[in-house]
Amino acid sequence: MFFYTSNKIIHANITFHRLSEMNNAEACLRQAAEWIEHKWGYLRNNPGVEYRIGALRKDMGSIYITSYAGIPIGMYALKDTDPVVANHKELWFVYVDESFRHLGVGSYLLDDVKKRCVELGVNRITFDTLMPTLNNFYKRKNAVERGEGRLLGAPVTLMQIDLEVPSPRAARPAAPG
């Protein structure tokens, strides 16, 4: 259990790394699989952590681990929705370890998602929420509800965040001088 008196302390020590580029990728992959199995395992009748590791291994390049002082505390995945649509990503597996909830880590994580998408030229993020109690959090972060659906039989809310992506500037000729 962790106890902190200031969100500033936490945020100053939070980092985000692509799972495929981490030195401790295997340990972080296992942690991510444990989080997913614990949180959403019921959707697939709890197939187990080893199943999750195998499923996640092929997507390591799209998974980002959130760490505090080198300790994994959360994750998210940014996936291409359609290879033809380059300016759209789908957000999966947003998770913050229970010891770090209610400290602003989720907001910091979602800010990183948006920043990364803008850097990639992505102007739309879509995702599903299985927990209606989180919808207001996402709405405060500029998400809008786009409808309802089902994910493996469970009801979900379809959410979307539109981003302003700066248009690429045309090369300007040098001023005469």
Side-chain angles (χ1 to χ4, degrees):
M1 177 70 132
F2 295 92
F3 177 76
Y4 302 99
T5 58
S6 169
N7 288 354
K8 291 178 185 177
I9 293 170
I10 289 178
H11 294 173
N13 292 297
I14 288 179
T15 58
F16 298 89
H17 297 283
R18 187 183 309 259
L19 180 56
S20 61
E21 299 170 358
M22 297 179 72
N23 290 336
N24 59 343
E26 285 301 313
C28 289
L29 176 63
R30 176 165 291 281
Q31 179 66 70
E34 288 174 4
W35 285 330
I36 291 169
E37 182 67 12
H38 170 73
K39 189 68 176 176
W40 303 291
Y42 70 93
L43 291 173
R44 293 192 189 271
N45 297 317
N46 295 309
V49 172
E50 297 307 319
Y51 167 84
R52 299 280 175 202
I53 289 172
L56 291 175
R57 189 175 302 284
K58 64 183 179 212
D59 286 329
M60 287 176 62
S62 65
I63 298 170
Y64 295 86
I65 299 295
T66 309
S67 299
Y68 172 74
I71 300 167
I73 64 167
M75 66 178 291
Y76 67 87
L78 274 177
K79 296 186 171 204
D80 291 326
T81 58
D82 183 337
V84 177
V85 184
N87 61 349
H88 182 191
K89 292 279 188 188
E90 191 167 357
L91 180 61
W92 285 55
F93 305 129
V94 175
Y95 185 84
V96 174
D97 187 270
E98 292 176 15
S99 298
F100 284 84
R101 292 182 188 163
H102 308 292
L103 297 172
V105 175
S107 290
Y108 203 63
L109 184 148
L110 198 55
D111 289 345
D112 189 71
V113 169
K114 291 178 182 180
K115 181 184 105 185
R116 197 169 302 276
C117 284
V118 168
E119 289 170 357
L120 294 170
V122 171
N123 63 10
R124 177 166 290 160
I125 305 166
T126 56
F127 55 98
D128 304 329
T129 63
L130 286 159
M131 298 176 60
T133 56
L134 288 177
N135 293 354
N136 285 333
F137 163 76
Y138 288 114
K139 287 178 184 177
R140 286 192 306 274
K141 301 303 272 177
N142 299 322
V144 294
E145 289 185 27
R146 289 295 182 206
E148 295 181 6
R150 298 196 81 68
L151 175 65
L152 300 172
V156 296
T157 304
L158 309 173
M159 306 287 285
Q160 176 177 312
I161 299 174
D162 289 320
L163 303 169
E164 290 190 31
V165 179
S167 59
R169 296 180 182 167
R172 297 181 185 182

